Amino acid sequence: MSVVIRRGFARKPPDGFKTGVGQRGSLLPRPFIPRLSPEQEPLWFAVPALLLIFVAVVVPSVSTLLLAFQGPNHEFVGLANFRDVLQDPETLNLSRFPGHSPPWGALVHNALWILIHLPASVGLGLLLALLFQDIPGNQILRVFIYLGMILPMVIGGVLIRFLFDENAGIVNGALELLGRSDLVRTWTAYPETALFALILGSVWLWVGFPLVLFSSGLTTIPRELYEAADIDGAGTWAKFRHITWPGLAPVTSVVVAMTVLWELKIFDIVYVATQGGPGNASLVLALEMYFAAFRALDYPHASALATILALLALLVGIRFVRTAKNA
C-alpha cells in the first residue's frame, strides 16, 4: 500500500499538501515526538515510573514540608511546629530518662530501637550465616529463619504479644524453667518491659534479612584466601578479622543502612502489639505522627513529625550512598 501511495504523489502531489511534514513520501503527519539520540531513547520507558513517583512521592512530600511551617489556619509560623514537637513530652521526655521507667519520648524510644535492635539483629544474622556456612541442608534452615521477614509485620505484632504473654508465652515458659518465676508477667502490659519486649521480640522477625545477605556475601569471598591463611597457620579469629570481615564490608553497610531505616519507620508492630502503650511507654515517632494526624487531626504537628523523621532517614541514606561509593 505504501508503495502505491508513494508512486502516486511522486507524479502529482495534491493541492495544498506540504512536503516534508511526515515521513518522506507519506501523507500521514509525523507525531510530535522530540528528537532523542539512540542513547537517550530508553528514557521514554522511565517516563511512567517518573510520573508515578512525582504524583505519589514528590507532591505529598512537598505538601507535607509546606504544612510543617503553617499554623491551623495555614498561616506561616516558621519553626514553631518543630519547637512544639521537640517540647512535647510524647516526643522527648528526658526528665524521666534513664532514672525512671518509660515513657521517655518517642525520639528516645526510636534511638533505643537502633541501639538495641541493630547490633542484636545484625550480629545474630552474621553469627547464623557463619554457622550455617558449611552445614548440610543450610538452605532449609535459612528458609525457616527467613519466614519472619515474609510474615506481614501486623501478624508479627500479634505473635510478639503471644510470645510475651503471661499464660501462653514461650518467654515466660522459659523463665519458669530457669526458676525465675518472679519475672513471669505479660511483658507488653507493663511500662518497664513493654518497649524492650517489642525490641527483643522483633529481632527474630528481622534476623532473616541480615542472614540471607551475609550468606550471599560469604560466597563471594575467594576460598583461596582461607587456604593461604591455613598454610600460614592463621586461627579462626585471625581469618575472620582479616578475611571475612573486610570481605563482608559492602554487605554490612547495606544491612546496617536498611536495618536503621526499618527501625526509624517502625509502626505496624508497635501499633498492633501495644498501640504505643501502656502510657506511651512504647510510643515511636511514626505512631505518634499517625495519632497526631488521624486522631487529633493536628496536621501541622504531624507534618513537623514527618519532616523530622524524613530528615533522620535522609541522613542514613546519604551515609549509605557515600559508603557504597567508597566500597
Side-chain angles (χ1 to χ4, degrees), residues 108-165:
V108 177
H109 297 165
N110 272 96
L112 288 174
W113 269 87
I114 296 174
L115 290 175
I116 299 174
H117 184 270
L118 177 65
S121 58
V122 174
L124 184 59
L126 176 60
L127 179 63
L128 292 176
L130 293 172
L131 291 176
F132 293 167
Q133 188 177 10
D134 298 321
I135 294 179
N138 52 14
Q139 293 183 351
I140 299 176
L141 296 174
R142 291 170 188 161
V143 169
F144 276 113
I145 296 176
Y146 196 74
L147 285 177
M149 284 293 301
I150 299 174
L151 287 176
M153 288 301 147
V154 173
I155 298 178
V158 175
L159 292 177
I160 288 177
R161 288 188 61 178
F162 282 105
L163 198 66
F164 290 94
D165 185 79

Side-chain angles (χ1 to χ4, degrees), residues 119-133 207 210-212 214-215 218 240 244-245 248 251-252 255:
S121 58
V122 174
L124 184 59
L126 176 60
L127 179 63
L128 292 176
L130 293 172
L131 291 176
F132 293 167
Q133 188 177 10
V207 73
L211 168 63
V212 171
F214 281 131
S215 298
L218 288 173
F240 174 79
T244 306
W245 184 248
L248 292 176
V251 178
T252 304
V255 171

Side-chain angles (χ1 to χ4, degrees), residues 87-109:
Q87 290 180 348
D88 189 350
E90 290 188 357
T91 307
L92 195 61
N93 190 4
L94 295 178
S95 62
R96 296 182 57 85
F97 182 80
H100 300 81
S101 60
W104 296 318
L107 193 59
V108 177
H109 297 165

